Amino acid sequence: MLRKTLISFLSVMTICTVSATERPFMLWTPEEAAAIRERIENDPDAKRQLERTLSLSGELNGPVILEDMFRVYVMQDEGVAERELRALRNSMGRKPEPLTWDKDPATLEWNEGMPSAGDRHMRDERTEDALRYDVLYDRLTPGEHESVQKYFKTYIQFHLDGHPPRHPHFQYDRMSWLPNMHWPRPIGTHLQAVALGDEDLIRAMFNAEGGWKWYFDEYLGDQGFYMEEFGKFYSNTGSMIFWCEALENLGLGEMGYGYVSETGITMRSHLRANTLDLSLPAIDWGGGMPTFARLTHGDAKGSPFRDNEAPVQHTVVTGYLPNGSGGTRRVTQPRMNGPMAKMLVDFWFEAGHHRWPEDGYDFFLAALREPGEERFYPTLFFNLKPIDPNEVTPPLPTPSYVAKDRGFAFLRQDHSENYWMGPKPAAALQFSRYYVHYVHDPMTLMAYHAFNAPMVLNAWGTGRGYAGGNAWRDSVRGHSGVVVDNLQAQPVARGDDGTVGHRYRANLENALDVRFVAVRADGTYPGVAHERALVLAEHYMLDVTWLRNEDAETSRRYEWQVLSPMTAKAGEAWTETDALDGIALYEGSRFEDRIRNAPPAPSKVRELSAGEDTWSLRLNYALRSETPEGDAGHGGFVTRGVGMDVHMLGSGDTTVFHGIPPGGPTTAPPSLVLARREAPSTVFTALYAPFEGNEPVVTGFERLAETGEGIAVRVSGTLPDGSDFSDLVLLRYGDDHDEEITLANENGFSARFRDHAVVRLSEDGRPATGELLELMLP
């Protein structure tokens, strides 16, 4: 029996039911289910897709609600229906668990250290029961309907009342609220309202504190970025898609896919922002299937590979290595995210392709296929057809951008659809902005990829698990940035406004296809002015860090460092040293006493006394096994001859170190490269020159002129076609970047400019970008 109207059971609210609605409607309408059955009966491809659809529980080793509902309604599996009906009946009479007292409920004394310590009720997601109620609706007795509706009403009212009792420090904001643990119950309660079909209740949840409207209006930033560390985005995305799809079928899509926030964010832009907009170009393993790594930071992050294992998660697409290991997980169920299995990227991209086929999600779905598969076979949840990789078109990537809310810049040298599979580089720079699950990593490189391989990693840790208090991972020591006086860096912007204390400069669209960004954030270290600038070009990236102590008479110890998955190839001038044994003992941390017991340190460290001379170090991928064919991760890079030269202009009395970061393998080890200076002020001018085929394109890097306010450098070399190239890069740093400056030398070079400029000296007409005013060359 199909009910034509649904009933509202909150007596305190006006009854306003959604009319003419047949059950079920949240996952599939009767017409959609019939169309899927027809394909299964008549289409051989659909039979193969059915196998994929019904294998989620096998991957999880436990039930997955979406698969079970498909079995019940589409496949009409009575055994599963009885099991799910028992689960729903067992939930009848359930009430939400209030926030548990951290100390003593008798005295109402709360733990002041961590307001989320008793937040289990925030993870109490009841989405599964909402979906069960919709699919099993006609199997319930009138009394059971009343029990379920009372149960759902209790959860809805609990949220609308502010879910008391409430820790005095709990609040919905960007800086203390953790959606991965704190939104499962609210988003599930949204779905309970949808399951009741009551428009008033749906709108009440939509407009509630911590509801859908607040999440999009107040929590998300920029084009829709998740404000916690990016690795936790997975927790609620599947349930958000359930909400949107159900509202479409109810005719209330303006509260789901159709909602546009006050800053222009939609579910469409939110999904893209946290997947495609964070994706680096494809990693080519030399076999298998490519990986699309994602920008990561915070305590939960991974690298595209670890030792000889398959690629780890925290990617957009986890490909397959030449040995066949790897593949993208489709479902997960961490305890911290509540009781429901979480749908992952396959489901998100199938939903995205179903709703917005022009957005290019089919390109990434095709990339999910296993080695040897000619087509990708999606599940039948959205009744998609198989996807042929020869018939998909890569989407245009979001061009390079500065995300001021979220606190980072992403530079993509290629803004065309060739970005995804092509060899051109991409890089990201993190600002001095706090985020939830912060690891004291401001002003660091989040990534640098070129020639379809990682050059610089966000971090290399000392093992897995929570990074907070870890002497290496919970500081710039475990990242690619600058450490001052062995202190733990602190964020300058700590509130909802990510622009506080920052000065930004950017030139992201120009005829030379070079991308420039600079950010200044004084106070990341006490008393130190700090600016970092990147110039990303096809064959190099210039990285300039300007540091100035407020007391011009007092020296500080500045240590610039970079972490790479590649192995350093140093000459005889480098000597063994133990000078880095204590560098993880950063001061000023609340974990200082604990970490001093067992401080991690780099191993196999070598040093070079560079003095005032320019120094260089080559990094290459090396085999982790005897042959490229047997190497799980590095073989393809070695075969292609992928590597990178690191150059730094001399300044002051510089000592350079390289070694294996803590936790790094000793076979084909990753590298920590560190340059140390002691002075009141300094400028680290570094150049990354990646190459393929063991022949570097960049062969020249020289300083033409430099003052305390700016620098002029020339980058030169030979392109793969044999032609020469030469770029002049001009950069002004410090207090008056927007005023004119002239840099000159005794050889007849002179350049007058503001802010920055790049001039392609090797091309006719010397095309330029930036604010070049006058140039004289010898």
Side-chain angles (χ1 to χ4, degrees), residues 22 51 136 181 217 227 229 237 364 367 380 393 428 454 472 535 537 541 561 617 674 681 683 761 764 773:
E22 292 184 322
E51 295 177 5
L136 301 169
M181 296 191 292
D217 286 355
M227 299 300 289
E229 57 184 336
T237 308
F364 293 94
L380 292 170
T393 300
W472 189 263
V535 177
M541 183 168 74
Q561 60 181 55
L617 182 64
L674 184 151
S681 303
V683 178
L761 300 176
D764 292 341
L773 303 176

PDB file of all heavy atoms in Angstrom, residues 22 51 136 181 217 227 229 237 364 367 380 393 428 454 472 535 537 541 561 617 674 681 683 761 764 773:
ATOM      1  N   GLU A  22       4.909   9.071  -2.896  1.00  0.00           N
ATOM      2  CA  GLU A  22       4.852   7.631  -2.748  1.00  0.00           C
ATOM      3  C   GLU A  22       6.088   7.140  -2.017  1.00  0.00           C
ATOM      4  O   GLU A  22       7.165   7.730  -2.114  1.00  0.00           O
ATOM      5  CB  GLU A  22       4.768   6.963  -4.123  1.00  0.00           C
ATOM      6  CG  GLU A  22       3.454   7.213  -4.849  1.00  0.00           C
ATOM      7  CD  GLU A  22       3.391   6.453  -6.157  1.00  0.00           C
ATOM      8  OE1 GLU A  22       4.434   6.372  -6.836  1.00  0.00           O
ATOM      9  OE2 GLU A  22       2.315   5.938  -6.479  1.00  0.00           O
ATOM     10  N   GLU A  51      27.119  -6.956  -9.385  1.00  0.00           N
ATOM     11  CA  GLU A  51      28.139  -7.564  -8.524  1.00  0.00           C
ATOM     12  C   GLU A  51      28.873  -6.497  -7.724  1.00  0.00           C
ATOM     13  O   GLU A  51      29.142  -6.685  -6.533  1.00  0.00           O
ATOM     14  CB  GLU A  51      29.130  -8.359  -9.382  1.00  0.00           C
ATOM     15  CG  GLU A  51      28.529  -9.561 -10.088  1.00  0.00           C
ATOM     16  CD  GLU A  51      29.546 -10.257 -10.985  1.00  0.00           C
ATOM     17  OE1 GLU A  51      30.738  -9.841 -10.966  1.00  0.00           O
ATOM     18  OE2 GLU A  51      29.166 -11.195 -11.705  1.00  0.00           O
ATOM     19  N   LEU A 136      11.045   0.429   4.344  1.00  0.00           N
ATOM     20  CA  LEU A 136      10.242  -0.605   5.004  1.00  0.00           C
ATOM     21  C   LEU A 136       8.872  -0.084   5.443  1.00  0.00           C
ATOM     22  O   LEU A 136       8.163  -0.769   6.190  1.00  0.00           O
ATOM     23  CB  LEU A 136      10.995  -1.144   6.226  1.00  0.00           C
ATOM     24  CG  LEU A 136      12.367  -1.772   5.942  1.00  0.00           C
ATOM     25  CD1 LEU A 136      13.114  -2.028   7.237  1.00  0.00           C
ATOM     26  CD2 LEU A 136      12.202  -3.068   5.151  1.00  0.00           C
ATOM     27  N   MET A 181      33.044  14.467  13.724  1.00  0.00           N
ATOM     28  CA  MET A 181      32.475  13.835  14.914  1.00  0.00           C
ATOM     29  C   MET A 181      31.240  14.545  15.429  1.00  0.00           C
ATOM     30  O   MET A 181      30.420  13.945  16.125  1.00  0.00           O
ATOM     31  CB  MET A 181      33.531  13.772  16.026  1.00  0.00           C
ATOM     32  CG  MET A 181      34.722  12.904  15.710  1.00  0.00           C
ATOM     33  SD  MET A 181      35.790  12.611  17.147  1.00  0.00           S
ATOM     34  CE  MET A 181      36.464  14.240  17.416  1.00  0.00           C
ATOM     35  N   ASP A 217      26.371  28.607   5.144  1.00  0.00           N
ATOM     36  CA  ASP A 217      26.514  30.065   5.281  1.00  0.00           C
ATOM     37  C   ASP A 217      27.703  30.449   6.153  1.00  0.00           C
ATOM     38  O   ASP A 217      28.422  31.411   5.852  1.00  0.00           O
ATOM     39  CB  ASP A 217      25.258  30.677   5.895  1.00  0.00           C
ATOM     40  CG  ASP A 217      24.093  30.735   4.933  1.00  0.00           C
ATOM     41  OD1 ASP A 217      24.278  30.392   3.755  1.00  0.00           O
ATOM     42  OD2 ASP A 217      23.005  31.141   5.369  1.00  0.00           O
ATOM     43  N   MET A 227      36.512  23.101   6.745  1.00  0.00           N
ATOM     44  CA  MET A 227      37.428  23.906   7.542  1.00  0.00           C
ATOM     45  C   MET A 227      38.241  23.094   8.549  1.00  0.00           C
ATOM     46  O   MET A 227      39.131  23.636   9.198  1.00  0.00           O
ATOM     47  CB  MET A 227      36.645  25.000   8.262  1.00  0.00           C
ATOM     48  CG  MET A 227      35.933  25.950   7.318  1.00  0.00           C
ATOM     49  SD  MET A 227      37.045  26.843   6.199  1.00  0.00           S
ATOM     50  CE  MET A 227      37.831  27.943   7.350  1.00  0.00           C
ATOM     51  N   GLU A 229      40.839  19.680   9.035  1.00  0.00           N
ATOM     52  CA  GLU A 229      41.822  19.104   8.132  1.00  0.00           C
ATOM     53  C   GLU A 229      41.102  18.334   7.020  1.00  0.00           C
ATOM     54  O   GLU A 229      40.091  17.686   7.242  1.00  0.00           O
ATOM     55  CB  GLU A 229      42.769  18.189   8.893  1.00  0.00           C
ATOM     56  CG  GLU A 229      42.043  17.073   9.641  1.00  0.00           C
ATOM     57  CD  GLU A 229      42.987  16.237  10.469  1.00  0.00           C
ATOM     58  OE1 GLU A 229      44.167  16.208  10.142  1.00  0.00           O
ATOM     59  OE2 GLU A 229      42.528  15.623  11.434  1.00  0.00           O
ATOM     60  N   THR A 237      29.748  13.310   3.939  1.00  0.00           N
ATOM     61  CA  THR A 237      29.416  13.589   2.541  1.00  0.00           C
ATOM     62  C   THR A 237      28.326  12.668   2.008  1.00  0.00           C
ATOM     63  O   THR A 237      27.407  13.112   1.299  1.00  0.00           O
ATOM     64  CB  THR A 237      30.679  13.484   1.672  1.00  0.00           C
ATOM     65  OG1 THR A 237      31.700  14.302   2.246  1.00  0.00           O
ATOM     66  CG2 THR A 237      30.405  13.926   0.251  1.00  0.00           C
ATOM     67  N   PHE A 364      37.065  10.834 -13.626  1.00  0.00           N
ATOM     68  CA  PHE A 364      37.663  10.261 -12.420  1.00  0.00           C
ATOM     69  C   PHE A 364      37.065   8.893 -12.099  1.00  0.00           C
ATOM     70  O   PHE A 364      37.751   8.032 -11.536  1.00  0.00           O
ATOM     71  CB  PHE A 364      37.503  11.227 -11.249  1.00  0.00           C
ATOM     72  CG  PHE A 364      38.310  12.479 -11.444  1.00  0.00           C
ATOM     73  CD1 PHE A 364      37.734  13.605 -12.011  1.00  0.00           C
ATOM     74  CD2 PHE A 364      39.652  12.514 -11.118  1.00  0.00           C
ATOM     75  CE1 PHE A 364      38.481  14.753 -12.229  1.00  0.00           C
ATOM     76  CE2 PHE A 364      40.408  13.649 -11.340  1.00  0.00           C
ATOM     77  CZ  PHE A 364      39.820  14.768 -11.893  1.00  0.00           C
ATOM     78  N   ALA A 367      39.025   6.567 -13.979  1.00  0.00           N
ATOM     79  CA  ALA A 367      40.336   6.355 -13.356  1.00  0.00           C
ATOM     80  C   ALA A 367      40.276   5.378 -12.193  1.00  0.00           C
ATOM     81  O   ALA A 367      41.317   4.894 -11.740  1.00  0.00           O
ATOM     82  CB  ALA A 367      40.906   7.692 -12.880  1.00  0.00           C
ATOM     83  N   LEU A 380      24.836   0.346  -9.292  1.00  0.00           N
ATOM     84  CA  LEU A 380      23.519   0.643  -9.841  1.00  0.00           C
ATOM     85  C   LEU A 380      22.735   1.617  -8.972  1.00  0.00           C
ATOM     86  O   LEU A 380      21.539   1.827  -9.206  1.00  0.00           O
ATOM     87  CB  LEU A 380      22.725  -0.652 -10.019  1.00  0.00           C
ATOM     88  CG  LEU A 380      23.253  -1.594 -11.103  1.00  0.00           C
ATOM     89  CD1 LEU A 380      22.542  -2.946 -11.035  1.00  0.00           C
ATOM     90  CD2 LEU A 380      23.088  -0.981 -12.491  1.00  0.00           C
ATOM     91  N   THR A 393      35.910  13.184 -21.199  1.00  0.00           N
ATOM     92  CA  THR A 393      36.717  14.386 -21.399  1.00  0.00           C
ATOM     93  C   THR A 393      37.141  14.923 -20.040  1.00  0.00           C
ATOM     94  O   THR A 393      36.283  15.135 -19.175  1.00  0.00           O
ATOM     95  CB  THR A 393      35.917  15.467 -22.146  1.00  0.00           C
ATOM     96  OG1 THR A 393      35.520  14.947 -23.419  1.00  0.00           O
ATOM     97  CG2 THR A 393      36.746  16.723 -22.346  1.00  0.00           C
ATOM     98  N   ALA A 428      51.541  24.003  -3.614  1.00  0.00           N
ATOM     99  CA  ALA A 428      50.628  24.657  -2.678  1.00  0.00           C
ATOM    100  C   ALA A 428      51.411  25.187  -1.490  1.00  0.00           C
ATOM    101  O   ALA A 428      52.367  24.549  -1.025  1.00  0.00           O
ATOM    102  CB  ALA A 428      49.535  23.702  -2.215  1.00  0.00           C
ATOM    103  N   PRO A 454      55.725  13.102  -7.088  1.00  0.00           N
ATOM    104  CA  PRO A 454      55.905  14.033  -5.971  1.00  0.00           C
ATOM    105  C   PRO A 454      57.367  14.465  -5.864  1.00  0.00           C
ATOM    106  O   PRO A 454      58.271  13.636  -5.894  1.00  0.00           O
ATOM    107  CB  PRO A 454      55.483  13.213  -4.744  1.00  0.00           C
ATOM    108  CG  PRO A 454      54.728  12.036  -5.284  1.00  0.00           C
ATOM    109  CD  PRO A 454      55.324  11.758  -6.632  1.00  0.00           C
ATOM    110  N   TRP A 472      58.092  15.719  16.212  1.00  0.00           N
ATOM    111  CA  TRP A 472      58.448  15.945  14.808  1.00  0.00           C
ATOM    112  C   TRP A 472      57.244  16.435  14.013  1.00  0.00           C
ATOM    113  O   TRP A 472      57.296  17.455  13.345  1.00  0.00           O
ATOM    114  CB  TRP A 472      59.014  14.653  14.203  1.00  0.00           C
ATOM    115  CG  TRP A 472      59.601  14.872  12.846  1.00  0.00           C
ATOM    116  CD1 TRP A 472      58.993  14.648  11.640  1.00  0.00           C
ATOM    117  CD2 TRP A 472      60.898  15.392  12.532  1.00  0.00           C
ATOM    118  NE1 TRP A 472      59.824  14.986  10.612  1.00  0.00           N
ATOM    119  CE2 TRP A 472      61.011  15.441  11.132  1.00  0.00           C
ATOM    120  CE3 TRP A 472      61.975  15.815  13.311  1.00  0.00           C
ATOM    121  CZ2 TRP A 472      62.152  15.897  10.479  1.00  0.00           C
ATOM    122  CZ3 TRP A 472      63.115  16.261  12.667  1.00  0.00           C
ATOM    123  CH2 TRP A 472      63.196  16.297  11.272  1.00  0.00           C
ATOM    124  N   VAL A 535      57.273  31.412  -7.102  1.00  0.00           N
ATOM    125  CA  VAL A 535      57.084  31.656  -8.530  1.00  0.00           C
ATOM    126  C   VAL A 535      57.155  30.297  -9.210  1.00  0.00           C
ATOM    127  O   VAL A 535      58.211  29.666  -9.265  1.00  0.00           O
ATOM    128  CB  VAL A 535      58.162  32.596  -9.100  1.00  0.00           C
ATOM    129  CG1 VAL A 535      57.964  32.763 -10.602  1.00  0.00           C
ATOM    130  CG2 VAL A 535      58.122  33.952  -8.399  1.00  0.00           C
ATOM    131  N   ALA A 537      56.941  28.076 -12.464  1.00  0.00           N
ATOM    132  CA  ALA A 537      57.042  28.031 -13.920  1.00  0.00           C
ATOM    133  C   ALA A 537      57.102  26.579 -14.363  1.00  0.00           C
ATOM    134  O   ALA A 537      57.161  25.658 -13.530  1.00  0.00           O
ATOM    135  CB  ALA A 537      58.279  28.799 -14.395  1.00  0.00           C
ATOM    136  N   MET A 541      60.633  26.110  -9.797  1.00  0.00           N
ATOM    137  CA  MET A 541      59.871  26.901  -8.839  1.00  0.00           C
ATOM    138  C   MET A 541      60.853  27.663  -7.962  1.00  0.00           C
ATOM    139  O   MET A 541      61.713  27.065  -7.305  1.00  0.00           O
ATOM    140  CB  MET A 541      58.958  26.043  -7.968  1.00  0.00           C
ATOM    141  CG  MET A 541      58.097  26.891  -7.016  1.00  0.00           C
ATOM    142  SD  MET A 541      56.753  26.001  -6.209  1.00  0.00           S
ATOM    143  CE  MET A 541      57.662  25.026  -5.003  1.00  0.00           C
ATOM    144  N   GLN A 561      64.005  24.328   5.662  1.00  0.00           N
ATOM    145  CA  GLN A 561      64.078  22.902   5.382  1.00  0.00           C
ATOM    146  C   GLN A 561      62.989  22.475   4.410  1.00  0.00           C
ATOM    147  O   GLN A 561      61.947  23.121   4.274  1.00  0.00           O
ATOM    148  CB  GLN A 561      63.979  22.090   6.672  1.00  0.00           C
ATOM    149  CG  GLN A 561      62.697  22.280   7.458  1.00  0.00           C
ATOM    150  CD  GLN A 561      62.699  21.457   8.741  1.00  0.00           C
ATOM    151  OE1 GLN A 561      63.598  21.562   9.554  1.00  0.00           O
ATOM    152  NE2 GLN A 561      61.678  20.622   8.889  1.00  0.00           N
ATOM    153  N   LEU A 617      72.029  20.517  -4.445  1.00  0.00           N
ATOM    154  CA  LEU A 617      71.923  19.114  -4.030  1.00  0.00           C
ATOM    155  C   LEU A 617      70.951  18.421  -4.971  1.00  0.00           C
ATOM    156  O   LEU A 617      69.838  18.901  -5.199  1.00  0.00           O
ATOM    157  CB  LEU A 617      71.432  19.003  -2.584  1.00  0.00           C
ATOM    158  CG  LEU A 617      71.321  17.584  -2.012  1.00  0.00           C
ATOM    159  CD1 LEU A 617      72.690  16.918  -1.926  1.00  0.00           C
ATOM    160  CD2 LEU A 617      70.652  17.615  -0.635  1.00  0.00           C
ATOM    161  N   LEU A 674      68.203  20.757   4.975  1.00  0.00           N
ATOM    162  CA  LEU A 674      68.085  21.854   5.932  1.00  0.00           C
ATOM    163  C   LEU A 674      69.255  22.811   5.757  1.00  0.00           C
ATOM    164  O   LEU A 674      70.414  22.384   5.683  1.00  0.00           O
ATOM    165  CB  LEU A 674      68.050  21.299   7.359  1.00  0.00           C
ATOM    166  CG  LEU A 674      67.836  22.264   8.528  1.00  0.00           C
ATOM    167  CD1 LEU A 674      67.135  21.543   9.676  1.00  0.00           C
ATOM    168  CD2 LEU A 674      69.148  22.863   9.039  1.00  0.00           C
ATOM    169  N   SER A 681      68.618  39.068  10.405  1.00  0.00           N
ATOM    170  CA  SER A 681      67.700  38.943   9.273  1.00  0.00           C
ATOM    171  C   SER A 681      68.359  38.098   8.192  1.00  0.00           C
ATOM    172  O   SER A 681      69.591  38.031   8.116  1.00  0.00           O
ATOM    173  CB  SER A 681      67.345  40.316   8.696  1.00  0.00           C
ATOM    174  OG  SER A 681      66.794  41.163   9.689  1.00  0.00           O
ATOM    175  N   VAL A 683      67.468  36.141   3.997  1.00  0.00           N
ATOM    176  CA  VAL A 683      66.574  35.770   2.905  1.00  0.00           C
ATOM    177  C   VAL A 683      67.063  34.441   2.348  1.00  0.00           C
ATOM    178  O   VAL A 683      68.215  34.326   1.916  1.00  0.00           O
ATOM    179  CB  VAL A 683      66.567  36.831   1.782  1.00  0.00           C
ATOM    180  CG1 VAL A 683      65.661  36.372   0.637  1.00  0.00           C
ATOM    181  CG2 VAL A 683      66.093  38.175   2.318  1.00  0.00           C
ATOM    182  N   LEU A 761      63.522  36.358 -21.028  1.00  0.00           N
ATOM    183  CA  LEU A 761      64.603  36.964 -21.788  1.00  0.00           C
ATOM    184  C   LEU A 761      64.898  36.222 -23.081  1.00  0.00           C
ATOM    185  O   LEU A 761      65.400  36.810 -24.047  1.00  0.00           O
ATOM    186  CB  LEU A 761      65.879  37.015 -20.933  1.00  0.00           C
ATOM    187  CG  LEU A 761      65.795  37.810 -19.632  1.00  0.00           C
ATOM    188  CD1 LEU A 761      67.099  37.671 -18.860  1.00  0.00           C
ATOM    189  CD2 LEU A 761      65.503  39.277 -19.920  1.00  0.00           C
ATOM    190  N   ASP A 764      61.536  36.396 -28.224  1.00  0.00           N
ATOM    191  CA  ASP A 764      61.484  37.661 -28.944  1.00  0.00           C
ATOM    192  C   ASP A 764      60.543  38.631 -28.253  1.00  0.00           C
ATOM    193  O   ASP A 764      59.425  38.261 -27.868  1.00  0.00           O
ATOM    194  CB  ASP A 764      61.019  37.440 -30.385  1.00  0.00           C
ATOM    195  CG  ASP A 764      62.041  36.665 -31.204  1.00  0.00           C
ATOM    196  OD1 ASP A 764      63.223  36.628 -30.788  1.00  0.00           O
ATOM    197  OD2 ASP A 764      61.652  36.091 -32.239  1.00  0.00           O
ATOM    198  N   LEU A 773      58.800  48.265 -14.720  1.00  0.00           N
ATOM    199  CA  LEU A 773      58.741  49.643 -15.190  1.00  0.00           C
ATOM    200  C   LEU A 773      59.855  49.974 -16.168  1.00  0.00           C
ATOM    201  O   LEU A 773      59.652  50.722 -17.126  1.00  0.00           O
ATOM    202  CB  LEU A 773      58.792  50.599 -13.990  1.00  0.00           C
ATOM    203  CG  LEU A 773      57.702  50.396 -12.941  1.00  0.00           C
ATOM    204  CD1 LEU A 773      57.923  51.324 -11.758  1.00  0.00           C
ATOM    205  CD2 LEU A 773      56.323  50.599 -13.538  1.00  0.00           C
TER     206      LEU A 773
END
